[in-house]
């Protein structure tokens, strides 16, 4: 008769006392660090909002960090009216909205071809698009300026009859520089999608366009929303390309409207702060509208299961 021996069962005592205190202190320190970093990033914006609500005479006498004596929204109405922001807002939307849509469409299609169609040289093509982001934009300002002055356009597309001094020049540069980054992000995201979905669509007779438009793009909605938020912010806030390629003051974007608030001999910086806050409102609105998808796009791949 044989006897079997069973290994003794070991019990692990729960962590109590100092262990729990160490974990709590660590989390408390982490939250304190994150709050400090957040306040450091928000400090300029909060100071601009605070200054825009105070008269310039008050801040000149007591300083920007003094307690307020009088708060009002008068500077916001004055900044909007004096700078003529209405037309500049429209100019920025004419550049930013088509630029974002065209960038995402081209980037998503290239990413789909690279990751789903198994084309030859797809990895090299992806590296080329990614390497384009490493080129400093200021290096090609002069060549692009000369090029755009020599590209002829019909009158209904450009008043100057060339690509220079038109929205097309700024739009083309914005799309060209942003496509590479979007291709890199979308290609990496599409690789995480199950290939069985596209293979099943091929078996059912779906063409390339159906695989791209009806199957792949809906699955990429979080990534597209995150990229749309970033791209709109970058194109809307751009100042360099519009200043270089547009000479007509009536076509300049909203970022140039702030110059209208600067006087020749005196600048009311509280009024300028109010104008800056107004200019930043559309980007904040876009983020609030796409916040859920934006956060989902940033956290994709952070956890499994």
């Amino acid at each position: 008769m044989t006897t079997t021996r069973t290994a003794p069962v070991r019990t692990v005592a729960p962590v109590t006392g100092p262990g729990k205190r160490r974990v709590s202190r660590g989390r408390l320190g982490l939250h304190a660090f994150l709050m400090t970093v957040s306040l450091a990033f928000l400090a300029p914006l909060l100071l601009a909002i605070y200054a825009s609500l105070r008269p310039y005479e008050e801040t000149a006498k007591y300083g920007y960090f003094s307690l307020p004596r009088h708060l009002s929204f008068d500077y916001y109405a004055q900044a909007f009216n004096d700078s003529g922001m209405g037309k500049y807002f429209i100019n920025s939307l004419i550049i930013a909205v088509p630029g974002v849509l065209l960038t995402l469409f081209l980037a998503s299609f290239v990413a789909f071809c690279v990751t789903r169609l198994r084309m030859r040289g797809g990895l090299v093509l992806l590296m080329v698009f990614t390497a384009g982001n490493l080129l400093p934009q200021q290096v090609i300002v002069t060549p692009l300026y000369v090029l755009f002055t020599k590209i002829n356009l019909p009158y209904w597309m450009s008043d100057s009859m060339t690509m220079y001094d038109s929205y097309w020049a700024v739009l083309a540069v914005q799309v060209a520089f942003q496509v590479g980054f979007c291709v890199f992000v979308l290609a990496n995201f599409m690789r995480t999608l199950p290939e069985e979905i596209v293979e099943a669509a091929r078996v059912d007779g779906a063409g390339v366009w159906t695989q791209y438009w009806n199957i792949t793009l809906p699955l990429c909605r979080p990534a597209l929303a995150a990229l749309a938020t970033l791209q709109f912010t970058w194109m809307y806030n751009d100042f360099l390309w519009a200043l270089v390629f547009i000479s007509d003051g009536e076509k300049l974007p909203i970022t140039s409207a702030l110059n209208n608030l600067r006087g020749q001999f005196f600048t009311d910086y509280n009024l300028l702060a109010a104008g800056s806050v107004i200019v930043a409102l559309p980007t904040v609105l876009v983020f609030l509208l796409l916040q859920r998808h934006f956060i989902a796009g940033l956290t994709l791949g952070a956890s499994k299961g």
Side-chain angles (χ1 to χ4, degrees):
M1 182 177 179
T2 59
T3 58
T4 58
R5 297 181 178 180
T6 59
V9 179
R10 297 181 180 180
T11 59
V12 180
V15 179
T16 58
K20 281 191 174 181
R21 284 197 295 271
R22 284 197 297 269
V23 174
S24 300
R25 289 173 183 172
R27 291 182 63 86
L28 182 61
L30 176 62
H31 285 284
F33 172 76
L34 294 177
M35 290 179 62
T36 303
V37 174
S38 301
L39 289 176
F41 277 96
L42 290 175
L45 177 61
L46 296 177
L47 180 60
I49 296 175
Y50 181 53
S52 65
L53 298 175
R54 304 176 63 187
Y56 180 80
E57 295 77 10
E58 181 179 312
T59 55
K61 181 177 180 180
Y62 301 103
Y64 283 95
F65 296 97
S66 59
L67 294 177
R69 274 74 173 176
H70 177 71
L71 297 176
S72 67
F73 291 93
D74 297 339
Y75 271 139
Y76 288 91
Q78 182 180 350
F80 189 86
N81 295 326
D82 292 354
S83 62
M85 286 188 179
K87 61 181 179 181
Y88 294 109
F89 269 124
I90 297 176
N91 295 341
S92 292
L93 294 178
I94 291 175
I95 297 173
V97 174
V100 171
L101 296 177
L102 187 59
T103 300
L104 294 182
F105 173 74
L106 295 176
S108 60
F109 205 83
V110 172
F112 174 80
C113 295
V114 171
T115 58
R116 294 302 181 184
L117 299 185
R118 300 172 183 174
M119 56 183 296
R120 291 184 178 181
L123 181 60
V124 177
L125 181 62
L126 180 61
M127 293 175 61
V128 170
F129 273 96
T130 306
N133 294 324
L134 305 178
L135 179 67
Q137 300 181 3
Q138 294 79 4
V139 174
I140 61 173
V141 168
T142 302
L144 286 177
Y145 176 84
V146 176
L147 177 64
F148 288 159
T149 56
K150 295 182 178 180
I151 297 179
N152 297 322
L153 292 178
Y155 181 79
W156 60 272
M157 294 183 65
S158 174
D159 297 339
S160 62
M161 303 294 289
T162 62
M163 201 164 180
Y164 175 74
D165 196 22
S166 68
Y167 298 121
W168 300 102
V170 182
L171 183 62
V173 173
Q174 293 285 6
V175 173
F177 272 102
Q178 301 301 334
V179 162
F181 172 74
C182 294
V183 169
F184 176 77
V185 174
L186 290 174
N188 287 303
F189 177 78
M190 288 182 184
R191 286 195 179 97
T192 64
L193 301 178
E195 294 186 2
E196 291 79 6
I197 298 178
V198 178
E199 292 177 355
R202 292 197 192 105
V203 172
D204 291 339
V208 175
W209 179 258
T210 302
Q211 299 171 31
Y212 162 74
W213 188 260
N214 295 332
I215 299 175
T216 305
L217 275 191
L219 297 176
C220 297
R221 185 178 301 172
L224 291 173
L227 287 175
T229 306
L230 295 175
Q231 294 300 319
F232 181 83
T233 302
W234 292 338
M235 294 183 185
Y236 177 85
N237 290 330
D238 177 71
F239 181 75
L240 172 65
W241 295 119
L243 190 65
V244 173
F245 299 134
I246 295 180
S247 60
D248 187 357
E250 298 296 322
K251 299 178 182 178
L252 290 174
I254 187 63
T255 49
S256 63
L258 297 178
N259 285 332
N260 297 336
L261 299 177
R262 301 176 64 93
Q264 183 177 2
F265 302 103
F266 169 76
T267 299
D268 189 339
Y269 290 101
N270 291 26
L271 177 64
L272 193 61
S276 301
V277 174
I278 295 176
V279 170
L281 287 179
T283 57
V284 176
L285 179 61
V286 169
F287 174 78
L288 293 177
L289 293 176
L290 300 178
Q291 180 181 9
R292 182 170 61 89
H293 298 291
F294 179 75
I295 296 176
L298 292 181
T299 56
L300 285 172
S303 60
K304 296 183 179 179

